[in-house]
Each structure stands twice: as C-alpha cells, then as structure tokens.
Amino acid sequence: MSKLDYTLHTEPVCSGFDGETCWVHARGGIIPGDKPRVVVTLQKLLLEASDVFYALNQVETDDLGATWSSPIEQNGLGRREEGGGIVSCICDFTPQWHAASSKLLGTGQVVYYVNNRVMPEPRPRGIAYSVLDAASNTWAPWRTIETPTEERFFSVGAGSTQRYDLPDGRILLPIYLHSRGNLQNAAAVMRCSFDGEELIYEELGNELVAPAARGSCEPSMTRFGNRYYMTIRDDDGSWVSASNDGLHYEAMIPWQFDDGQELGNYNTQTHWVTHSGGLFLLYTRRGANNDHVFRHRAPLFIGQVDPERLCVIRDTERIAIPERGARLGNFGVCNISPQETWIFDAEWMQPLGCERYGSDNTVWLARIVWRQPNALMDASGNAQA
C-alpha cells in the first residue's frame, strides 16, 4: 500500500473568548461553481453547563479562505418552545453538498432543555436537518426525519456524523439510537431519499453496539475503493467496521495502530478524510503530552488507514491542528477541490481555565494540500460517482 503525500497549513477563521460562551461545532460545506462558496456553521455553548447550545450561526468565504465573513445567526436554526417548559435546539450539525439536488444539506440532531439544562433521561432525540437557500443565503427552518414508530427509535440522532451520498441521490446517513428503557446506543446507517427539500426514511441497516454503558455514538462513514467504512465512538474507546453495501456492516473491531497498539482515542468522535489514493482518519488520543486536556481531545491528529487491516499506520501520523489547552474533539471535513481538503475545528473552552495554555476559542481551518490530485473530486469539488 502506497503512502500518500500532502502538506498541511493551519490558519484561523475567527477568534475571541468572552468567558461565558464559546463557539463549537465548526463544520463546513461547499457550494461549487466558478466562484465556490464555503459555508461554515457553528453555534455558541454556555460554559457554565454541559451541552447547552444556542442558535446556529454561519460564516463564509467566496475567495477560498483569503477573507471570511463575521458570524451571522440563522433564524431557521434556533431554539423552539415546545410547551410545558421544554425548549428544543438543533445541534451537532454538519453541512455537506448534495450533488444530485444541487443543495447544501445539513444534518444533526435535536436536544431538549428544561430550565436551560439538558432534559434528564429518558429523553427523546430526533434527526434534524435543514437546507440552505443559496439565493437568499438563509437556512430553512429545521425539520426532523419521520422515523418508524418502533420503540428503538425513541432516541435517534445524526449528531456529528459524516454521511455518504449515492450516485442516484439517495443518502446513507449514519445515526445512533436507543429505546426508552435501554440507554445503550446502537450505531447504524439509515438510507434516505432526498428531493432537495425533504429527507425521507427508507431503510435501516444492522445495528452495532459497543460494550460501554452508552454504547455506540457519533458514527461516521465513507467509501474507499469498493467498500464502505464506519468509525464509531464509545466511552472507553473507538471502533471501526467495513461493509460491502454501506448498510450492513461486519463486526466492529477496536481502532489500533499497525503495530497492534491501541490508538488511544476514547469518548471522542473520529472522522474520515477520503482521497482516491488513500484513506485517512482524524482523531485525538492519549499519550501526546496532553494529560492537561479534557479527555485528551487535542491535538487533532491525522493518519493514513490500512483499509485491509483496518488500522492506522503509525509512521503516517501527523498533527493537523496543534494543542493549546482547549479540546479539539468536535470537528468537520470538507472536500474543496481535487487539490485541497479542509478541516474545521473550534477550541472548546471547557473546563474554564484551559485558556491559560494559549487557547482563545479560535475557529481553525487546516488545509490539506494534496501532491497527487484527488480523482474522487472534479474541479469544482463535486464528488464523482
């Protein structure tokens, strides 16, 4: 297996820390064209609580990152009063271009609050989504996918996941779900249809359950060669699995380096970077002089994957975004062109005090510049069938 060569360039999109909230969940999607636009969604987090989010905002560039707009709150992607003191909010959002409909489609999940704190279990979730109107540059009010009434869909979300779009326009969307009486999540892939406006459930693949108390969370998938791959988080580690059809996956195995040592990633999402010449994993891990970072969630690493052995090749590991005390565990990937893939991340300023190491809630862009063009992309950044 050949090792793919590339360069990395890291630069700030925006920065600034007010001590009460911070930007999180920075992820980008491209609107291709002669003058492509890259749209990054992100939202504020309340620092005095856990996972208390506010409306999604948007920053963008139409000059490939030479300049960026200021964050603009999106009215359609805000909180909603549900009655009975319950407030809902869309979160864990990931925008991605849907070539068949020529729409930027974002997916995520719904969280519910009571008294501005996450509702106690058992609590429902929903798969949230929204479509950007490119002409008005506004996101449609978020909607949820109508899922079957089976009890296993009581709590179901697509938070922080990478989807794969099929050539016919149907979508393979990784999700995680659990019933009201069982808080151990299962990861699976949901096939959906999408007509440019509505995302409709079609079928669910087999479920993969990690042994940890909360089970399998935040799965992400990709296709490389003739196979599909899924990476999964649990409280104690991380897992990988492969599939021939994108819906039905083999038994998952722990992520390891090619020397047999565990990867060291735990309780933190991982995502894919996919090039026609090689498959890569983005991850955080223990053992990087980072014991002062919450759950060892920084720096953000990239390493090439052996797709046959399902492991990370240790001597290909590089730092994609450096560590400055704040965690970098919630991030996104955007294919820009055959020459570039971009990674977006925001310094998550919890726990308070992490700023003493130099972090200031910077939203980072890490550019991967490929020495060998990515044949999976056309000149405008569209994925090729």
Side-chain angles (χ1 to χ4, degrees), residues 166-178:
L166 295 167
D168 64 4
R170 291 184 300 172
I171 291 170
L172 297 178
L173 181 65
I175 55 97
Y176 50 113
L177 72 168
H178 68 76

Side-chain angles (χ1 to χ4, degrees), residues 3-254:
K3 296 174 183 177
L4 204 59
D5 196 15
Y6 58 92
T7 60
L8 271 166
H9 308 275
T10 305
E11 60 203 60
V13 173
C14 60
S15 61
F17 180 46
D18 63 17
E20 296 180 0
T21 64
C22 72
W23 293 114
V24 296
H25 297 158
R27 300 186 179 99
I30 188 169
I31 302 174
D34 293 335
K35 191 177 183 180
R37 289 168 54 203
V38 180
V39 173
V40 178
T41 56
L42 65 170
Q43 62 194 139
K44 285 283 193 176
L45 167 88
L46 181 64
L47 292 173
E48 68 177 21
S50 176
D51 290 340
V52 174
F53 304 113
Y54 296 96
L56 281 156
N57 283 241
Q58 173 178 307
V59 299
E60 63 181 276
T61 179
D62 61 5
D63 54 16
L64 294 178
T67 59
W68 291 91
S69 69
S70 298
I72 299 175
E73 185 171 318
Q74 299 299 301
N75 293 332
L77 302 181
R79 290 182 168 197
R80 297 177 183 172
E81 299 286 342
E82 301 288 349
I86 298 173
V87 174
S88 61
C89 185
I90 184 173
C91 65
D92 300 298
F93 194 71
T94 303
Q96 183 179 319
W97 182 248
H98 185 258
S101 65
S102 296
K103 292 291 181 69
L104 188 62
L105 167 67
T107 54
Q109 61 188 7
V110 183
V111 61
Y112 293 92
Y113 300 124
V114 176
N115 297 323
N116 211 30
R117 296 294 185 270
V118 176
M119 179 189 295
E121 295 279 13
R123 60 177 176 268
R125 278 180 301 146
I127 303 171
Y129 68 96
S130 178
V131 180
L132 181 70
D133 183 317
S136 65
N137 202 25
T138 58
W139 290 88
W142 59 266
R143 305 166 68 176
T144 56
I145 296 177
E146 184 175 340
T147 54
T149 57
E150 301 168 42
E151 175 61 22
R152 63 177 173 160
F153 290 95
F154 168 72
S155 174
V156 56
S160 303
T161 65
Q162 280 177 299
R163 70 176 201 255
Y164 183 83
D165 297 345
L166 295 167
D168 64 4
R170 291 184 300 172
I171 291 170
L172 297 178
L173 181 65
I175 55 97
Y176 50 113
L177 72 168
H178 68 76
S179 64
R180 186 189 305 265
N182 177 13
L183 302 185
Q184 191 177 48
N185 286 285
V189 173
M190 177 183 292
R191 192 180 68 230
C192 305
S193 64
F194 180 62
D195 61 5
E197 294 184 2
E198 187 175 8
L199 199 53
I200 300 174
Y201 171 91
E202 289 187 346
E203 183 181 357
L204 188 71
N206 65 309
E207 298 179 11
L208 301 176
V209 183
R214 289 193 299 167
S216 303
C217 300
E218 297 180 339
S220 282
M221 68 170 295
T222 191
R223 182 177 178 177
F224 178 72
N226 294 321
R227 302 202 80 194
Y228 298 87
Y229 299 88
M230 185 155 58
T231 180
I232 299 168
R233 158 192 176 180
D234 84 356
D235 287 352
D236 303 319
S238 57
W239 304 80
V240 59
S241 180
S243 166
N244 290 324
D245 65 3
L247 273 179
H248 304 93
Y249 283 79
E250 301 166 355
M252 57 188 186
I253 61 174

Side-chain angles (χ1 to χ4, degrees), residues 295-313:
R295 291 179 183 167
H296 300 88
R297 287 184 174 179
L300 184 65
F301 290 101
I302 182 171
Q304 190 165 347
V305 171
D306 184 326
E308 299 299 325
R309 297 174 58 195
L310 298 182
C311 58
V312 174
I313 303 167

Side-chain angles (χ1 to χ4, degrees), residues 290-361:
N290 56 350
D291 288 348
H292 58 289
V293 179
F294 178 83
R295 291 179 183 167
H296 300 88
R297 287 184 174 179
L300 184 65
F301 290 101
I302 182 171
Q304 190 165 347
V305 171
D306 184 326
E308 299 299 325
R309 297 174 58 195
L310 298 182
C311 58
V312 174
I313 303 167
R314 186 186 285 276
D315 67 8
T316 67
E317 181 183 80
R318 299 172 63 177
I319 291 177
I321 301 178
E323 173 265 311
R324 301 198 305 172
R327 53 176 122 161
L328 296 169
N330 291 60
F331 57 96
V333 181
C334 182
N335 292 315
I336 300 299
S337 72
Q339 287 74 37
E340 292 194 24
T341 299
W342 290 4
I343 306 161
F344 291 99
D345 207 339
E347 293 178 328
W348 188 308
M349 305 300 290
Q350 282 178 318
L352 287 172
C354 64
E355 63 270 21
R356 69 179 179 270
Y357 297 99
S359 54
D360 61 357
N361 197 207

